[in-house]
Amino acid sequence: MTLHGVRASHDWLDIRMKVIGYEPIASDQLWRQCCIKLGDAIFTVIRHFQLNPPSILEINDANLRRLQESISSQQQHRQSRMGASASSATSVSSSQSHAVTSVQSQNSTMETLQSVSNHSVEAMDDEVDALIPPVPTSFPELENMPLSELRALLNDESVMDNMIERISEVARLKELKQSIEKANVEAAEENLLRETELEASQTELDALVKESRIKVNKYRELDEKRNALTRPPDVQDTIRELNIAKREVYQKSEEMAECWVESGGEGMIDFVKKFMEIRLQYHTRAAKAERLGMTM
């Protein structure tokens, strides 16, 4: 959740105008645990800014800027009519701060606060540079200062320091420095709180990586076996094996015939049946070997 349209200083705001002071939205875990509706959370933050207005450093939104200019001009006109010309500059300065506060109170709707991701966001160097106020091109306080006071500035460092402290750009720069320091401290504390969680995640990750490597090596071993089993056989090796098997069957049939003859030729029908089965295997293997030989 961020403050939109202005750049301000407040205990609940960081350098990016992100709302960090409301505990339920400090992190995703706290938001899930608080069981608060989004509308109620936004109302609480808006109400806090109404009761404790932030210090406005710069108005970025064009509509708010035009409204502020309109209110400032009306205030200047009212002051001039009252004849307070001597204190008009101071009144205008204070009215500007009050006007911007009034604008925030009157426009405390969804337009001034937009819901964004609650993840931590680091401010980049160029973003920080854009927030640094420009160097003043003139110093009206010195132009109207008597010569004696100018000499006191040159001769007394404490007087010079007090004058520098009153420059608005210096005050804004100090507020920016404090905001950056606060954001850095909060980021460091959050990192320290998550150190144990990060170490546990790292340990778990290392175990998973080790387990995955073991499984990958096992997969590669099994894949090699699968390729060996499913790889088409070499034609020459197949022909060689068929020829060996053919000779074995032929030798078996010859031995069977010799045994039948030596036994006196009894049981001719059974002999012929078994002999033909073995010879059929012989001719089948011979035919397969010849067919494969023709494909080479």
Side-chain angles (χ1 to χ4, degrees):
M1 187 178 294
T2 59
L3 186 65
H4 177 70
V6 298
R7 188 169 64 83
S9 175
H10 194 276
D11 292 340
W12 276 28
L13 299 173
D14 65 2
I15 188 174
R16 298 291 299 274
M17 299 299 103
K18 176 185 173 183
V19 179
I20 59 175
Y22 187 46
E23 185 176 357
I25 62 174
S27 65
D28 292 340
Q29 184 178 2
L30 291 176
W31 174 248
R32 287 191 294 266
Q33 295 176 353
C34 69
C35 299
I36 300 176
K37 295 182 179 180
L38 178 61
D40 295 338
I42 294 176
F43 175 80
T44 302
V45 174
I46 293 175
R47 183 64 175 170
H48 179 78
F49 283 143
Q50 288 177 337
L51 298 177
N52 304 278
S55 176
I56 305 301
L57 304 178
E58 183 181 359
I59 301 177
N60 300 324
D61 185 78
N63 294 329
L64 288 178
R65 190 182 299 110
R66 285 195 294 268
L67 181 59
Q68 166 64 15
E69 292 174 355
S70 175
I71 295 175
S72 299
S73 62
Q74 293 177 6
Q75 191 74 12
Q76 289 177 356
H77 182 67
R78 189 182 302 110
Q79 290 292 337
S80 62
R81 291 182 58 184
M82 293 174 62
S85 58
S87 60
S88 61
T90 305
S91 300
V92 170
S93 177
S94 61
S95 65
Q96 287 178 350
S97 175
H98 177 71
V100 174
T101 304
S102 301
V103 170
Q104 287 190 323
S105 300
Q106 296 173 0
N107 294 276
S108 56
T109 61
M110 291 293 292
E111 295 180 357
T112 56
L113 286 173
Q114 59 181 11
S115 296
V116 296
S117 173
N118 288 321
H119 297 293
S120 299
V121 180
E122 295 183 0
M124 304 303 291
D125 291 342
D126 54 349
E127 295 175 343
V128 176
D129 293 341
L131 297 175
I132 297 177
V135 178
T137 57
S138 61
F139 297 90
E141 300 87 349
L142 298 179
E143 295 177 357
N144 300 323
M145 186 176 293
L147 181 60
S148 59
E149 295 183 6
L150 290 175
R151 289 178 178 174
L153 286 176
L154 293 175
N155 299 326
D156 193 338
E157 292 185 0
S158 61
V159 177
M160 176 68 75
D161 294 338
N162 292 333
M163 191 275 293
I164 293 176
E165 292 290 339
R166 293 195 299 269
I167 299 177
S168 59
E169 287 78 6
V170 175
R172 289 167 57 187
L173 192 60
K174 287 186 175 182
E175 290 182 356
L176 176 61
K177 176 177 176 293
Q178 294 175 356
S179 299
I180 294 175
E181 291 177 349
K182 184 178 179 180
N184 290 340
V185 170
E186 292 176 351
E189 292 176 348
E190 185 176 358
N191 290 336
L192 290 176
L193 290 176
R194 295 184 177 182
E195 183 178 6
T196 304
E197 180 182 357
L198 180 60
E199 291 177 350
S201 299
Q202 181 65 36
T203 302
E204 182 180 1
L205 178 61
D206 293 340
L208 291 174
V209 169
K210 183 178 180 180
E211 182 180 359
S212 65
R213 288 176 179 173
I214 295 175
K215 291 184 176 180
V216 167
N217 293 333
K218 184 64 176 179
Y219 164 78
R220 290 174 178 173
E221 180 181 351
L222 295 175
D223 189 56
E224 291 178 358
K225 292 181 179 180
R226 180 189 63 83
N227 290 332
L229 293 174
T230 59
R231 186 184 300 112
D234 184 72
V235 177
Q236 292 182 353
D237 293 340
T238 304
I239 293 175
R240 183 168 53 253
E241 292 178 0
L242 285 172
N243 288 328
I244 294 173
K246 179 186 69 173
R247 288 193 296 268
E248 290 177 353
V249 172
Y250 178 79
Q251 185 66 28
K252 184 178 180 180
S253 65
E254 290 296 320
E255 291 177 356
M256 181 183 293
E258 291 178 1
C259 290
W260 180 74
V261 172
E262 291 177 357
S263 65
E266 297 179 356
M268 183 179 65
I269 296 176
D270 293 337
F271 165 74
V272 172
K273 184 178 179 180
K274 294 179 180 179
F275 183 80
M276 292 299 295
E277 290 178 355
I278 296 176
R279 283 292 179 145
L280 180 61
Q281 292 181 1
Y282 167 77
H283 290 293
T284 300
R285 294 173 181 177
K288 290 182 178 179
E290 183 179 358
R291 180 69 62 86
L292 288 175
M294 294 173 61
T295 60
M296 294 179 61

